[in-house]
Amino acid sequence: MTDVIVVGGGPTGLMLAAELRLHGVRVVVLERDAEPTKVVRAMGLHVRSIEVMDQRGLLDRFLALGKRIDNGGLFAGMDKPWPSDMDTAHGYILGIPQPLIERVLNEHAAEVGVEVRRGCEVVGLSQDDDGVTVGLADGTRLRSRYLVGCDGGRSTVRKLLGVGFPGEPSRVETLIGEAMVTMPEDELTAVVTETRKTQKRFGLMPLGDGAHRMIVPADGVAEDRAVPPTLDELKRQLVAVAGTDFGVHSPRWLSRFGDATRLAEHYRVGRALLAGDAAHIHPPTGGQGLNLGVQDAFNLGWKLAAEINGWAPAGLLDTYHAERRPVAADVLDNTRAQILLLSTEPGPRSVRRLFSELMDFDVVNRFLIEKITAIGVRYDFGEGHELLGRRLRDVSLKHGRLYELMRTGRGLLLDQTGRLSVEGWADRVDHVVDVSEELDTPAVLLRPDGHVAWAGDDQRDLLRHLPRWFGTAKA
């Protein structure tokens, strides 16, 4: 029996599996598809995900494959400058297509010892007090102590668990794909620029060698969005929206997505949990979906590992639902708002103009971009220091920088006083004595996900907070 079965080998599942392996947890990933998908659902990493990759020593790999984007345009496509003085060392978007993100995460998972089994479709699930048993389409059965469903919006795991998925069905649908075009680039640019003045759900982006990524509103909502659109359907919609089909031909892939918005009622049922799109779906406005799933995994990994390794304090695993579900609910709300602002109807267009004026105020622009990029997330840890519950930005230290100290996935006490101690928790928490001109507090205790669990300089107060997140001290 293995420790954890992760169902789904996309970014969320791979990130979670690698996080578990950092703590010595035995994990196997079951992926239904025999080969990685070529469909590019997501196009980049936001600030918090970039920070996550830096905390695990992966950022250089992503930077080598992606492109830094310093302009705005994240909220409902409104082209506003990047907010000044954002609370991060990574004030940019990293443009990188999902297949490359998955490639890096897959390589990282393999390096830390994750077993990924492709062509394995889960069709059955049961659990008892000791573990979870899954049945596969080929008739075999596997057993583990815990299971996490990271198997997308149509999650088999969620359905087998009977978890409710309330929300709204798709009301609008969008076609997306990559294909060749014959229209000259200068003419194409002029048509796209003119069309986007009124239709913000439309765009063509050159990929090189005549290929373009294209997005265009569909004519209605398909009964089954798993069935890709045809080239003829794409051409018809391009003509309907832009007045030309741009000479599109030879598609690499075509797909469709809707604006369905749903949130799982529970993220945990006994020894089974949900993460990523299995727990929440929403329109792709703002590019938040993949990032939200990766951040789910980053929150869950160390907590599930603590439970398996026997040192988790009571209720720690349940904080995954308590912390991450409200974050997803907020994302669902802001994507609902963005879809409304993308409408071509007179009313929403008036609201869009008002929002655009409001975003000229730096405080409003910053608030919305921090929401989209997830650096504004603050978990409810109760009353305390202003940093409590927030993730801490990467800060420069006298002997390096903060995120370089977080590669192991352990907790961290950054002590600028040299007078504190984590004796009794040294197997779970690293104690680093160093100073930073960027940190205006004597010491901070960080959870493995980088969120501040305590701040201050009182050893007795620290000893009251360590057990909450890191369990009972060793004698």
Side-chain angles (χ1 to χ4, degrees):
M1 182 169 71
T2 193
D3 291 323
V4 180
I5 291 174
V6 174
V7 181
T12 301
L14 292 170
M15 188 74 199
L16 174 61
E19 286 294 290
L20 292 168
R21 283 299 303 147
L22 282 181
H23 300 276
V25 173
R26 297 168 299 169
V27 57
V28 59
V29 176
L30 304 180
E31 169 55 49
R32 181 187 60 186
D33 295 337
E35 299 292 337
T37 181
K38 296 179 181 179
V39 175
V40 184
R41 292 285 186 184
M43 287 294 291
L45 297 176
H46 282 322
V47 175
R48 183 53 189 147
S49 295
I50 292 170
E51 292 181 340
V52 164
M53 300 311 171
D54 193 9
Q55 287 175 243
R56 292 299 181 261
L58 300 174
L59 183 55
D60 286 346
R61 302 190 195 186
F62 286 101
L63 290 174
L65 296 171
K67 178 182 178 181
R68 280 183 55 142
I69 302 172
D70 298 302
N71 60 299
L74 291 180
F75 190 82
M78 283 184 265
D79 191 14
K80 300 296 179 179
W82 193 263
S84 60
D85 301 323
M86 285 185 70
D87 182 34
T88 180
H90 300 285
Y92 55 90
I93 305 165
L94 185 61
I96 178 172
Q98 182 171 336
L100 291 183
I101 295 173
E102 291 190 12
R103 189 180 88 186
V104 174
L105 291 177
N106 194 66
E107 290 171 352
H108 172 56
E111 290 165 1
V112 296
V114 173
E115 179 187 1
V116 179
R117 301 183 189 178
R118 289 196 164 273
C120 293
E121 182 181 0
V122 172
V123 296
L125 184 156
S126 63
Q127 59 176 314
D128 53 40
D129 291 341
D130 299 316
V132 182
T133 302
V134 298
L136 303 182
D138 65 3
T140 60
R141 295 162 68 85
L142 296 175
R143 187 161 171 80
S144 62
R145 296 171 65 183
Y146 287 87
L147 177 142
V148 185
C150 305
D151 51 340
R154 298 181 178 87
S155 172
T156 297
V157 171
R158 186 188 65 242
K159 295 171 184 175
L160 290 172
L161 290 173
V163 173
F165 204 40
E168 307 92 51
S170 287
R171 296 179 176 87
V172 298
E173 185 173 279
T174 306
L175 308 184
I176 187 172
E178 293 179 5
M180 309 297 288
V181 300
T182 59
M183 178 179 285
E185 198 66 35
D186 56 347
E187 185 180 347
L188 181 148
T189 300
V191 174
V192 170
T193 300
E194 184 63 27
T195 304
R196 282 189 55 80
K197 289 179 179 179
T198 55
Q199 180 50 266
K200 304 299 182 180
R201 289 170 49 221
F202 166 82
L204 269 78
M205 181 179 71
L207 302 174
D209 300 325
H212 284 69
R213 177 180 172 88
M214 52 198 66
I215 179 170
V216 62
D219 181 19
V221 178
E223 291 186 10
D224 185 0
R225 279 189 304 281
V227 177
T230 64
L231 179 60
D232 285 342
E233 184 180 356
L234 176 65
K235 286 182 175 181
R236 285 197 303 271
Q237 290 311 110
L238 289 171
V239 171
V241 172
T244 175
D245 66 8
F246 300 93
V248 63
H249 67 96
S250 305
R252 295 175 177 175
W253 58 267
L254 298 175
S255 187
R256 64 178 86 233
F257 63 84
D259 66 335
T261 306
R262 298 184 182 278
L263 180 61
E265 292 179 335
H266 308 287
Y267 278 25
R268 180 186 179 190
V269 179
R271 290 178 171 266
L273 301 102
L274 300 171
D277 288 352
H280 40 70
I281 59 171
H282 53 84
T285 43
Q288 299 168 88
L290 181 150
N291 292 273
L292 182 61
V294 165
Q295 293 155 31
D296 283 348
F298 203 57
N299 182 285
L300 174 60
W302 71 277
K303 297 174 180 178
L304 184 53
E307 191 74 27
I308 290 168
N309 290 329
W311 60 259
L316 178 65
L317 192 53
D318 288 329
T319 67
Y320 167 62
H321 168 97
E323 292 174 2
R324 294 304 298 171
R325 192 173 186 275
V327 173
D330 188 67
V331 171
L332 266 62
D333 277 347
N334 83 58
T335 54
R336 286 184 179 105
Q338 291 184 76
I339 283 290
L340 180 64
L341 292 172
L342 292 172
S343 171
T344 58
E345 294 296 317
R349 289 177 66 182
S350 297
V351 178
R352 181 184 179 86
R353 287 192 290 271
L354 175 60
F355 256 82
S356 182
E357 292 176 2
L358 290 172
M359 288 181 70
D360 288 334
F361 294 96
D362 190 67
V363 64
V364 177
N365 191 27
R366 181 194 305 275
F367 173 79
L368 293 174
I369 300 308
E370 287 185 352
K371 184 181 289 290
I372 297 290
T373 60
I375 64 172
V377 170
R378 182 177 190 176
Y379 300 139
D380 183 7
F381 293 174
E383 298 294 325
H385 194 279
E386 63 179 1
L387 290 176
L388 193 66
R390 299 187 183 278
R391 106 281 181 251
L392 187 62
R393 62 171 290 166
D394 188 26
V395 297
S396 297
L397 306 170
K398 183 177 181 179
H399 301 292
R401 58 188 183 89
L402 177 64
Y403 284 6
E404 291 175 334
L405 303 174
M406 304 189 73
R407 304 284 162 82
T408 62
R410 292 153 54 91
L412 174 69
L413 175 66
L414 177 57
D415 178 8
Q416 299 194 93
T417 72
R419 300 191 304 268
L420 301 174
S421 171
V422 292
E423 183 178 357
W425 289 272
D427 60 324
R428 287 154 269 172
V429 181
D430 294 327
H431 182 197
V432 175
V433 178
D434 206 338
V435 294
S436 172
E437 295 180 356
E438 302 174 42
L439 187 60
D440 188 24
T441 188
V444 289
L445 175 66
L446 301 179
R447 306 191 315 183
D449 60 359
H451 282 257
V452 177
W454 172 85
D457 61 0
D458 187 321
Q459 178 67 35
R460 288 175 298 180
D461 191 38
L462 173 62
L463 292 176
R464 286 192 290 269
H465 284 78
L466 279 163
R468 177 180 179 181
W469 301 110
F470 299 102
T472 304
K474 283 192 173 182

